[in-house]
Amino acid sequence: MSLILLTGVNGQLGWELQRTLAPLGQVVALPRAQLDLSQPEMIRTVVREYRPGIIVNPAAYTAVDKAESEPDLAHAINAVAPGVLAEEAQKIGALLVHYSTDYVFDGGNPAPYTEDDRPNPQSVYGQSKLAGEDAVRASGCAHVVLRTSWVYGVHGGNFVKTVLRLAKERNELRIVSDQFGAPTWARRLALGSAEILRQCRANPDDASRLGLFHLTAAGRTNWHEYAEEIVRLARQHDPLLRDKPIVIEAIPTSAYPLPAPRPANSVLATGRIRNAFGLALPNWQEDLAECVRELYSGTLQAE
Ligand SMILES: NC(=O)c1ccc[n+]([C@@H]2O[C@H](COP(=O)([O-])OP(=O)(O)OC[C@H]3O[C@@H](n4cnc5c(N)ncnc54)[C@H](OP(=O)(O)O)[C@@H]3O)[C@@H](O)[C@H]2O)c1
């Protein structure tokens, strides 16, 4: 079984991948201290040392608003580093699995975006992630780039945990209702990634299983409706929330200004990955219910 080099193991997705990839081979999971993606020479040294058959790169600079004031660091981690990983993968014939974002789109399209739609990122984060996609493609290495959206999970910080905290602290929440997307569970993404790797390994010469794919939960929502669903689910598990009056007010994006602009619509069409891998993730509500249940069960509480 080939060695799998995994980055970003303390992130939402990396933490899940560490577990879901284990049945596929020996996973060398390196935290930032051992593989700092802002250091290209360190990346080259590590890849040359381990000579993995597969590199999986969920690590990224994901602070969307902070990136507006740290464009160089965001570019180093999200654009330069994937390019270096890809160059090294090409040299040793490794397969690279890399992750990108719905924020590569400007959000002006009312329909779900396909892989063939033209990206037009509006934020530094989105621009840096698109540059990362381009660098991976330009390297010529065998790659699978998975664009996903609105990631949440049991490990790490995310919108679900923020809403759960605010619902405990306050009686009133104000959440934007004019940005649409698909909340996607890190666990489900990690399981999907493992299935993709299994199929790529079993069909190494099949080019239809390589390239750019959208992988998100099914369905669409906005942040306000998403918050309402989080609170509705939490009331089933949390006695402190069960009868607490909580008003969730729907507000426009203009009433909640942030440094980085967000796309109004970033729902991604997932037909290509269904055709190539037979992979379709469940509806966002289904996975959210499972994740909230797990957060309250405490069995997998990592923090
Ligand atoms: N979160 C979302 O809503 C979302 C939406 C669409 C796409 N994505 C993409 O999905 C992927 C996974 O996202 P996620 O939510 O799991 O991210 P996350 O929870 O923010 O984790 C990011 C990871 O990257 C690591 N990292 C940051 N800078 C690094 C560096 N210089 N060297 C090495 N590691 C570094 C972090 O390490 P530390 O633990 O040391 O900080 C962390 O483990 C990313 O490619 C992201 O762009 C995410």
Side-chain angles (χ1 to χ4, degrees):
M1 288 209 285
S2 55
L3 195 142
I4 303 169
L5 182 66
L6 175 64
T7 69
V9 290
N10 292 316
Q12 300 193 81
L13 179 56
W15 190 77
E16 297 285 354
L17 281 166
Q18 200 169 349
R19 286 147 187 81
T20 58
L21 297 182
L24 276 78
Q26 186 193 345
V27 179
V28 175
L30 298 180
R32 186 194 297 237
Q34 285 167 265
L35 177 52
D36 185 340
L37 294 185
S38 68
Q39 308 294 323
E41 280 317 306
M42 192 173 187
I43 300 173
R44 293 193 195 281
T45 305
V46 166
V47 176
R48 287 172 194 182
E49 181 185 338
Y50 287 102
R51 297 188 65 80
I54 296 168
I55 301 173
V56 182
N57 181 40
Y61 182 111
T62 55
V64 175
D65 290 309
K66 207 171 162 201
E68 296 296 313
S69 52
E70 288 187 336
D72 292 345
L73 185 58
H75 188 79
I77 297 167
N78 291 348
V80 177
V84 175
L85 281 171
E87 273 174 34
E88 293 300 318
Q90 162 75 0
K91 283 180 195 154
I92 58 174
L95 170 66
L96 173 65
V97 179
H98 177 66
Y99 298 86
S100 190
T101 174
D102 53 334
Y103 283 10
V104 297
F105 293 113
D106 62 21
N109 191 352
Y113 283 93
T114 73
E115 291 85 348
D116 294 327
D117 283 324
R118 192 178 64 85
N120 183 26
Q122 300 297 296
S123 61
V124 167
Y125 169 73
Q127 287 156 7
S128 69
K129 292 294 291 184
L130 180 61
E133 291 182 11
D134 291 343
V136 170
R137 195 178 311 112
S139 75
C141 78
H143 65 269
V144 174
V145 173
L146 299 171
R147 278 192 196 137
T148 190
S149 64
W150 298 24
V151 178
Y152 64 91
V154 291
H155 184 88
N158 54 60
F159 184 76
V160 174
K161 290 185 181 178
T162 302
V163 168
L164 292 176
R165 177 174 53 77
L166 292 177
K168 285 203 182 85
E169 293 171 1
R170 303 181 189 175
N171 293 98
E172 205 176 307
L173 277 60
R174 300 171 75 239
I175 311 278
V176 299
S177 59
D178 54 0
Q179 291 168 25
F180 290 83
T184 303
W185 190 17
R187 170 84 44 82
R188 195 65 75 177
L189 268 178
L191 289 167
S193 303
E195 173 59 22
I196 286 165
L197 276 176
R198 259 183 221 106
Q199 292 193 28
C200 286
R201 219 161 46 179
N203 306 276
D205 300 321
D206 182 358
S208 73
R209 287 186 171 84
L210 299 175
L212 174 65
F213 298 93
H214 290 172
L215 182 59
T216 70
R220 76 194 277 272
T221 187
N222 61 61
W223 294 105
H224 173 260
E225 186 186 46
Y226 180 22
E228 285 197 316
E229 184 65 4
I230 293 165
V231 172
R232 189 187 73 77
L233 291 165
R235 286 187 194 280
Q236 299 171 4
H237 303 282
D238 190 337
L240 295 175
L241 288 181
R242 194 155 298 143
D243 301 314
K244 184 179 174 198
I246 301 168
V247 174
I248 307 181
E249 186 190 344
I251 59 167
T253 298
S254 56
Y256 193 70
L258 290 168
R262 267 74 169 170
N265 171 45
S266 62
V267 178
L268 303 180
T270 53
R272 181 178 288 178
I273 206 155
R274 193 171 51 245
N275 291 338
F277 294 95
L279 195 60
L281 304 192
N283 197 274
W284 66 272
Q285 288 105 324
E286 201 178 308
D287 277 349
L288 180 63
E290 183 62 20
C291 181
V292 170
R293 191 197 58 72
E294 204 166 276
L295 278 169
Y296 278 102
S297 78
T299 53
L300 275 171
Q301 293 266 9
E303 292 140 313

